[in-house]
Amino acid sequence: MTEQHSHRFERGTDGPKVIVVGVDGSDSSLRAAAYAGGLARRQGALLAVVYVQPMLAGVAALGAPVAETTDEIAEDLVAQIREATERVKGIFDIRWEFHTFRSDPYNGLVATADQLKADAVVVGASEQAGHRFVGSVAVRLVKAGRWPVTVVP
């Protein structure tokens, strides 16, 4: 009897090749980015840094410049990542790319991880008290059960 092997995408066979990390400028997300960066460096993986710009329809309706604010946050995050990369240039080399778009954080991270065929997702622990009751992005990612998820405190 001959066994046929499927040529499907398989996650995690030789270590992660693509690691997605969600950042939002919070201390825990920046710690998650540092952790994911170290993991990506050690594994020779691509680090995909994702900032999902929140869509705050109610605030936008009141005339607040939400789009400009979230664009500024994205630019600041890219600047921080570039600065950190430059500091370790020649000592540690890491491949990274930055993704940003408007969505809700959970669906944005899921879409990016799916699109990039991520092997792992890293996020910071929620710093919002209400998430203990309704569930944080990290908990929802873990429950999705589609990738190994690391939650950095």
Side-chain angles (χ1 to χ4, degrees):
M1 193 179 273
T2 328
E3 194 175 315
Q4 294 223 335
H5 295 283
S6 160
H7 294 288
R8 296 179 315 162
F9 174 73
E10 186 176 354
R11 287 188 174 99
T13 54
D14 297 323
K17 297 297 179 213
V18 177
I19 300 169
V20 169
V21 62
V23 295
D24 62 7
S26 67
D27 289 342
S28 66
S29 79
L30 296 176
R31 285 190 296 272
Y35 177 88
L39 183 60
R41 178 187 55 79
R42 289 186 299 277
Q43 295 291 330
L46 170 67
L47 178 64
V49 180
V50 181
Y51 169 56
V52 182
Q53 300 179 37
M55 296 186 337
L56 305 172
V59 177
L62 297 174
V66 175
E68 290 99 16
T69 301
T70 58
D71 287 343
E72 288 173 14
I73 292 170
E75 290 170 15
D76 183 53
L77 289 168
V78 170
Q80 287 181 49
I81 296 164
R82 283 198 177 111
E83 182 182 311
T85 304
E86 283 300 314
R87 279 196 309 264
V88 297
K89 195 173 190 172
I91 302 169
F92 302 119
D93 288 320
I94 184 169
R95 293 180 307 124
W96 66 277
E97 56 189 39
F98 184 79
H99 300 263
T100 187
F101 49 89
R102 287 182 176 77
S103 181
D104 70 275
Y106 171 77
N107 287 316
L109 288 170
V110 166
T112 304
D114 282 346
Q115 177 187 359
L116 297 175
K117 294 184 174 30
D119 297 296
V121 178
V122 180
V123 292
S126 176
E127 296 180 354
Q128 297 181 5
H131 285 170
R132 284 179 282 189
F133 303 109
V134 297
S136 65
V137 171
V139 168
R140 291 174 66 195
L141 289 167
V142 170
K143 285 183 178 181
R146 291 162 64 179
W147 323 267
V149 177
T150 302
V151 182
V152 177

